[in-house]
Amino acid sequence: MDKVKDLILYQVATNRNYKVGETFVFDKNTKNGQYEKVFNSSFIDGNTRFCDKLYKISKSKFKRFKKSQLFKIAHSLDTYDVILRDLALEDIRKNFYPDYPSRFHSMYLVETIEQALNYFDEKATVKDNSYQLVAVKLNGIIFRAGIKECLVGRCGQSYTYYLEKAKAYWTQDCPKNQAVEVLFEGKAEIVEILKETKL
């Protein structure tokens, strides 16, 4: 973890409509997109749990899934995996590294313009979304994560597995300009919009 003053890093934002000069404070009261996903996701279709629909279909000879239903189920399982992973990461952070930025309250950034451009091209593919690549001036604290063996992907594993991986994540010492993700808490100012698009 490092304290930073007027550090410029980059973010690829979805549906934000940032303006140059806007400022934001990321602290323990901020609820970012990761927080919303972990604490507000549900796994129902109408009023029925997805698993109940699956149980019913598995007992029927003739019932089949529509493509849209399969997508919803796959998306739900992926989201559930994100929830397990991020709860484990937050559990380890709170218990052993409480001064580090929380993944639930931080701004997520990358360190180099090259990373940001690559990420923009990868991410800016979903129709009906707008995307911006912005330069952000930071005053606060950052945590760099990027050592391949220490990143915690979505693996479909148990909570215990994710707890073990979380220990490696929070103890890594990632060299400057090599981070895959940077977590930031403090005051952020949008200083430049480098690229934007709406699909």
Side-chain angles (χ1 to χ4, degrees), residues 7-198:
L7 177 68
I8 304 292
L9 295 184
Y10 306 94
Q11 184 185 60
V12 176
T14 306
N15 299 327
R16 293 293 173 100
N17 196 28
Y18 283 137
K19 305 279 189 240
V20 171
E22 277 187 295
T23 60
F24 304 90
V25 174
F26 290 85
D27 61 19
K28 308 286 185 247
N29 297 314
T30 305
K31 294 177 181 174
N32 66 15
Q34 203 68 5
Y35 178 97
E36 295 298 333
K37 181 181 274 191
V38 168
F39 291 101
N40 294 318
S41 291
S42 63
F43 304 101
I44 57 173
D45 187 24
N47 292 325
T48 306
R49 297 184 313 157
F50 277 128
C51 59
D52 292 333
K53 286 193 169 200
L54 289 172
Y55 289 137
K56 187 175 182 181
I57 289 169
S58 71
K59 293 176 183 175
S60 169
K61 276 187 181 176
F62 306 106
K63 192 96 174 175
R64 298 226 192 273
F65 286 116
K66 295 178 185 172
K67 193 173 182 179
S68 62
Q69 289 174 309
L70 284 172
F71 180 81
K72 280 183 182 179
I73 292 164
H75 182 72
S76 291
L77 290 170
D78 185 53
T79 300
Y80 179 74
D81 205 20
V82 169
I83 291 168
L84 274 186
R85 179 198 67 182
D86 276 276
L87 287 174
L89 281 161
E90 184 66 2
D91 191 4
I92 295 299
R93 186 200 68 79
K94 282 170 80 173
N95 286 315
F96 300 101
Y97 307 97
D99 295 335
Y100 282 29
S102 167
R103 291 172 58 85
F104 294 147
H105 307 290
S106 296
M107 185 177 213
Y108 286 70
L109 303 123
V110 294
E111 290 190 285
T112 69
I113 189 67
E114 293 79 20
Q115 287 174 306
L117 287 167
N118 287 338
Y119 188 47
F120 185 92
D121 291 340
E122 287 173 18
K123 192 171 180 180
T125 58
V126 179
K127 289 186 178 181
D128 300 323
N129 282 337
S130 62
Y131 299 91
Q132 292 177 305
L133 168 54
V134 296
V136 187
K137 183 167 67 175
L138 309 170
N139 287 286
I141 58 170
I142 62 170
F143 175 78
R144 290 181 176 90
I147 299 171
K148 188 175 181 181
E149 297 76 27
C150 297
L151 291 177
V152 188
R154 300 186 299 236
C155 313
Q157 293 287 343
S158 69
Y159 189 70
T160 301
Y161 170 88
Y162 286 129
L163 283 173
E164 286 304 311
K165 289 299 243 177
K167 291 173 187 173
Y169 177 88
W170 291 114
T171 57
Q172 66 183 302
D173 185 17
C174 182
K176 190 175 181 182
N177 291 328
Q178 292 184 30
V180 172
E181 66 183 13
V182 176
L183 305 178
F184 168 75
E185 283 187 1
K187 184 178 178 184
E189 179 184 354
I190 307 302
V191 292
E192 187 176 357
I193 297 169
L194 300 161
K195 191 172 182 180
E196 57 188 334
T197 188
K198 177 161 176 46

